[in-house]
Each structure stands twice: as C-alpha cells, then as structure tokens.
Amino acid sequence: MSEELVPVVHVVDDDADMRDSLTYLMRSVGLTVEVYGTAAEFLALYRDDRPGCLLFDVRMPEISGLELYEQLVRDGVRLPVIFMTAFADVPMAVRALKSGAVEFLEKPFNRQALLEKVQRAISEDQSRRRQHVLWQDVGRRLLDLTSRERDVLELVLTGIPNKSIASRLDITERTVELRRASVMKKLHVQSTVELIRLVTQYEIFSGSRMSSATAETRPTPQPQSSPSPPNS
C-alpha cells in the first residue's frame, strides 16, 4: 500500500464512564478511537475498511463481547481483539483465547500496559493487511498464466524434471523450458526453489490449491501463522 490508512481503536463497553476513560486514554497518545455502548450498535456501524484493533468488554447485555467477536470471526473479520472484564474466570479466558483474542485483561488494568498491547495489536493488523495486498498481487500474477503455462507449473511443483514434464504433456523439452521460463518471469522469481516456495505459501494464504490434478503427487503445505510476504 502506498499510503497507510489511519488505524482505529474500536471500543465496545456498556459502561459510559469506561468508554469516556478509554477514549481519553487512546486520544492522549494520538490514536483514533470509536466507541459503542452495545454490540448491536457496533454491528450497525462498523466497517472493516481500516486497520486497527477491537477493545471489547466481555460481559454486556444481550450480546456479550465474546459472542460479538465469535460472530465477527464467522463473518471473516480478522481485526485483533483485546477483551476486558471485571469478572474473569478460567473458562471465559480459555474461550476468549481460543476465539482468537490477542489479550485478555482484568479490570482495573494498568493503562500503560493496555496502550502497549493496543499499539502491538494495531501493528500486527497493519502488517497482516500489507501482506494481504502482496499475496493478492501474487494471485493476480497466477491468473495471468496461460493454461499451458499452468500445466507446466503444476508438474514443476511435483518435482519431476523437464524431460518427464515433456513426456507427460506430449511436448518437446525445449517447449517445457520456454514455458517454465515464462512462468518464472511472470511470477517474479529467479529459481525453481523460489517458485515452489511462492506457490506453496500462496496456497497456504488462500486456503486452496491451484489445482487438484496433481494433489496426490505433491506434498501438503503445512499451515503457519503468517506466510512470509512475497517480493513486490
């Protein structure tokens, strides 16, 4: 992204005094903050178009902070969340962390510690969004491949040599070399190792394979917390 959007801290808490206190705290360090008194108000107004983080009170009427975040996860929202509660218990904390919470804080909390956790969550979200843009670009490059280039790429990913690829596709080895070179140029890689790494990590990012045609002969990519971003 050539220009970073200003991050927003979204506070959802049914306690008006806590909302005011958190608003003052966030603005004191130059952070933009939006506050909501209920989960329903947040759902009606929230737009996932800017980086930031979520600061949710756990115990709220009608829809709790945990239920709210679990709904957001189901809807595909990936903004980091920090849960706050004055009545913590172990099962609640476990549920929060399993749902994807980056932090679970008991009230009253240290303000400086909270600010550090908020800044860290925002930084992680900004990094995730930058990587998302880079991987989307890789997806566009893959779509630019011709069907014949994709056929060669799929077989390259199985690790077989050019001669075997030529035999499988009933083309000359020279044709394989030309199509392979074209694939590497379009994907901005310099070696076969880079090519395999890029495509494998893209499949982890996208959650799907380019094709099932060679699924049985290709190693299964192992998920990781955050695939290394490709070169732009």
Side-chain angles (χ1 to χ4, degrees), residues 106-174:
E106 292 187 63
K107 299 176 182 177
F109 38 72
N110 180 281
R111 293 192 169 200
Q112 183 58 40
L114 173 61
L115 284 174
E116 290 174 0
K117 295 178 190 302
V118 167
Q119 294 281 17
R120 188 180 307 120
I122 290 173
S123 178
E124 290 174 359
D125 188 55
Q126 289 174 320
S127 176
R128 176 188 66 82
R129 288 171 185 264
R130 284 192 292 268
Q131 289 193 29
H132 185 79
V133 170
L134 292 173
W135 284 115
Q136 283 185 319
D137 181 60
V138 172
R140 285 190 288 269
R141 292 184 225 160
L142 286 167
L143 288 175
D144 284 341
L145 299 179
T146 68
S147 60
R148 292 177 178 178
E149 289 170 342
R150 289 176 69 87
D151 289 342
V152 169
L153 173 58
E154 278 293 324
L155 293 174
V156 167
L157 295 175
T158 67
I160 64 176
N162 286 350
K163 185 175 181 180
S164 298
I165 294 175
S167 176
R168 290 274 294 272
L169 298 178
D170 195 24
I171 56 179
T172 67
E173 192 169 345
R174 177 58 179 164

Side-chain angles (χ1 to χ4, degrees), residues 39-199:
E41 181 184 1
F42 171 83
L43 290 171
L45 299 175
Y46 173 70
R47 289 170 49 188
D48 187 29
D49 58 354
R50 295 168 71 181
C53 76
L54 307 171
L55 200 52
F56 287 176
D57 183 37
V58 172
R59 296 182 182 274
M60 294 187 292
E62 298 183 6
I63 303 175
S64 71
L66 280 171
E67 292 168 336
L68 172 58
Y69 188 66
E70 287 168 349
Q71 179 174 333
L72 293 175
V73 171
R74 289 193 297 271
D75 292 341
V77 176
R78 298 181 59 193
L79 216 60
V81 63
I82 297 170
F83 286 113
M84 309 172 293
T85 182
F87 308 97
D89 57 57
V90 173
M92 181 188 297
V94 170
R95 180 181 169 189
L97 294 172
K98 282 186 175 181
S99 72
V102 295
E103 294 289 349
F104 188 89
L105 301 176
E106 292 187 63
K107 299 176 182 177
F109 38 72
N110 180 281
R111 293 192 169 200
Q112 183 58 40
L114 173 61
L115 284 174
E116 290 174 0
K117 295 178 190 302
V118 167
Q119 294 281 17
R120 188 180 307 120
I122 290 173
S123 178
E124 290 174 359
D125 188 55
Q126 289 174 320
S127 176
R128 176 188 66 82
R129 288 171 185 264
R130 284 192 292 268
Q131 289 193 29
H132 185 79
V133 170
L134 292 173
W135 284 115
Q136 283 185 319
D137 181 60
V138 172
R140 285 190 288 269
R141 292 184 225 160
L142 286 167
L143 288 175
D144 284 341
L145 299 179
T146 68
S147 60
R148 292 177 178 178
E149 289 170 342
R150 289 176 69 87
D151 289 342
V152 169
L153 173 58
E154 278 293 324
L155 293 174
V156 167
L157 295 175
T158 67
I160 64 176
N162 286 350
K163 185 175 181 180
S164 298
I165 294 175
S167 176
R168 290 274 294 272
L169 298 178
D170 195 24
I171 56 179
T172 67
E173 192 169 345
R174 177 58 179 164
T175 300
V176 172
E177 292 172 354
L178 291 172
R179 292 179 186 172
R180 187 169 181 157
S182 179
V183 167
M184 294 174 67
K185 181 178 180 180
K186 288 182 178 180
L187 295 182
H188 303 175
V189 295
Q190 303 297 319
S191 69
T192 301
V193 172
E194 285 184 55
L195 176 64
I196 293 172
R197 182 186 299 119
L198 180 71
V199 174

Side-chain angles (χ1 to χ4, degrees), residues 22-38:
L22 290 171
T23 297
Y24 176 81
L25 179 63
M26 298 302 149
R27 288 178 177 170
S28 72
V29 293
L31 291 172
T32 299
V33 59
E34 298 287 347
V35 296
Y36 314 85
T38 65

Side-chain angles (χ1 to χ4, degrees), residues 9-22:
V9 180
H10 298 273
V11 176
V12 184
D13 198 310
D14 59 331
D15 184 331
D17 289 338
M18 179 59 68
R19 293 198 303 273
D20 290 343
S21 176
L22 290 171

